[in-house]
Amino acid sequence: MDDIIVLNKINKSYGDEVVVQVLFDIDLSIKSGQFTAFIGPSGSGKSTLLNIIGLLEAPTSGKIILDNQDISGLDKNELATYRNEKIGFIFQFHYLLPEFTALENILIPYWIGKGKPPKEVIDQAVYLMERIGIKQYGGKYPNQLSGGQQQRVAIARSLINRPRIIFADEPTGNLDSKTSGMVMELLREIVREDKTNLVMVTHDRDIAAGADRVIEIVDGRINCDFTVDRMGRKEVRRELEHLACIFSGAAGGQ
Amino acid sequence: MSWQRYVDYMDGMKEITVAAPMVNGNGYIEKGRSSFPVIIKGITLPEADVIYKFKNNLVTGDLRPGGNNVLIGVASSEKSGLQAGDTFYLRNQKGSGDYFIIQGIFDLGSSAANNMVVMSLDRARTFLDITGISAIEIQVHDVFAADGLAKELRGSFSQVKVESWQERNKELLSGLRAQDTSSVMIQFFVLLSITLGIASVLAIIAIQKSRQLGILKAMGTNDKSAARIFIIQGFSMGFAGALVDILLGLGMTELFMFGTKSSGGPTYELKITLANILLPAVLAAASATVAALVPARRAAGLNPMEVIRNG
Ligand SMILES: Nc1ncnc2c1ncn2[C@@H]1O[C@H](COP(=O)(O)OP(=O)(O)OP(=O)(O)O)[C@@H](O)[C@H]1O
Ligand SMILES: [Mg+2]
């Protein structure tokens, strides 16, 4: 059993009177130690699926097993603790707390779980900042930083508790290709060295092409599933070329 | 019937602690060109001291009125500038007068009482030219039995006027009662409006901060902690407010004392006890904490997805 994520018939509907079904019977197993990319057109349900696997949102029906633990039995507070300890989130918007400096923002997940961070944790925060090129901004407040710098602070924040799984929803959407490259390099290194798992929604074909597995969601269902292990990276890249229309269309929509 | 018989009779009643014969009148302390109106009181000891407690409230001197030795209240002393040991001329309302020596000065805590010149009963009778006495003041064991006792005494003695303290202070009592209810009402509504005020401030903060709150919850802050933020904030607001209010209240009391000083100070004793200060402070902090419950519940119920979806 080296699957980090197992989804069993996940359904998600919104609304009480007018019910809109967004996800349909999603079955999925993701092997541990991988970088998985979700792609697909806008409105297809990628963010919804990510939030459900990330325990932010409950599915209407279905079973979720994370790291060999069935999380259906957890209550709200246990879910919160689980998120704090095992999950790192990078949202499309950064959501930094304006009253705290960049460094303090990065340390907040530690604070939530364990209180005052010791020196090693602060050192780790500084290391993360250095890796994504924002070391010199540690003492600045979010409103003194550019959008891209703020996003990088949020990325460092998602990594501070050394999560088992990192969920990222278009984390590099606001970054230029150079900083986007730095961020991806850091994330990949963390997946490699810390045996962490990365699940990312992206509209960037190059980023998707660098993933170990690419899953395309269309209309709330898994449409394609490419695995580098099985097909080789070249083949995956070629398959992705065929999805060009989806990428360009979605990029415009986001 | 002579007044001694009345006193003896009353002394014999078990409800009565003491019956003290009194001579009351008005006079003037003459000093140079000025004259200061005073109340003249003739007393017997130890009876009058049971009621007035001159002895315990002496500022200087001692309690031995007799002959032309008298006690005066601090207010008369301050007004006229007379000290213990001084001799002064006291005039009665008929225009005649005599020299008296101040043996002691007392402070009974009320401006009317502190304006008295106290002498022996017999000296007061001759000074004021009164044949009998003015009144017998009675202290009873149970203050609230005074009305009943007055009624009983009225039945026994038809030639004198009997008055209980409640009857004597009827208007004051009803005034006090009205003031009491209105002050309770005012306190209640002030408390209510403060509570609502703090609740609305915190509710606004809760809405303004829901973005941050949502992200904190997404990162693992549980409902209890999210709620606790507001409870703590409400408590600190109430506590800080109470502190400021205590200072303001004390300041205003000082100001009031200062403002009424020229007219001899308030006619009653203003006692500020620790309970006077602590009770409102505790109430303020408690009501602010209660006010924080509404936003706290909101914070606890906030779904992080609302924030993450809507940016
Ligand atoms: N709270 C909600 N209530 C009703 N419908 C919702 C709600 N949240 C999402 N949806 C709908 O679910 C569908 C999937 O949304 P989702 O955000 O998962 O799409 P997405 O694939 O992430 O799109 P994008 O690439 O534009 O981010 C959309 O049609 C959206 O309108
Ligand atoms: Mg999305």
Side-chain angles (χ1 to χ4, degrees), chain A residues 199-216:
Chain A
V199 181
M200 183 183 292
V201 171
T202 184
H203 284 118
D204 185 319
R205 188 184 311 138
D206 290 337
I207 290 176
D212 300 314
R213 186 172 175 186
V214 181
I215 295 166
E216 190 199 23

Side-chain angles (χ1 to χ4, degrees), chain B residues 84 94 203 289 296:
Chain B
K94 290 174 183 151
T289 311

Side-chain angles (χ1 to χ4, degrees), chain A residues 158-219:
Chain A
S158 73
L159 301 175
I160 194 67
N161 277 355
R162 297 176 184 276
R164 280 291 284 146
I165 315 172
I166 300 161
F167 291 100
D169 198 342
E170 300 178 51
T172 57
N174 301 323
L175 303 180
D176 61 51
S177 59
K178 181 165 167 267
T179 38
S180 168
M182 282 167 91
V183 166
M184 286 314 300
E185 197 184 310
L186 173 67
L187 289 175
R188 265 189 228 106
E189 179 197 294
I190 285 168
V191 171
R192 213 173 330 116
E193 291 175 5
D194 287 6
K195 301 263 176 301
T196 309
N197 303 277
L198 175 62
V199 181
M200 183 183 292
V201 171
T202 184
H203 284 118
D204 185 319
R205 188 184 311 138
D206 290 337
I207 290 176
D212 300 314
R213 186 172 175 186
V214 181
I215 295 166
E216 190 199 23
I217 311 278
V218 176
D219 291 339

Side-chain angles (χ1 to χ4, degrees), chain B residues 230-272:
Chain B
F230 286 89
I231 301 285
I232 290 171
Q233 197 164 14
F235 176 77
S236 2
M237 276 168 87
F239 189 74
L243 227 70
V244 171
D245 288 352
I246 287 170
L247 292 179
L248 269 177
L250 290 177
M252 275 154 79
T253 311
E254 277 303 308
L255 205 69
F256 173 73
M257 299 294 263
F258 179 77
T260 51
K261 202 170 188 171
S262 55
S263 54
T267 54
Y268 49 85
E269 207 175 349
L270 245 178
K271 232 191 247 158
I272 300 175

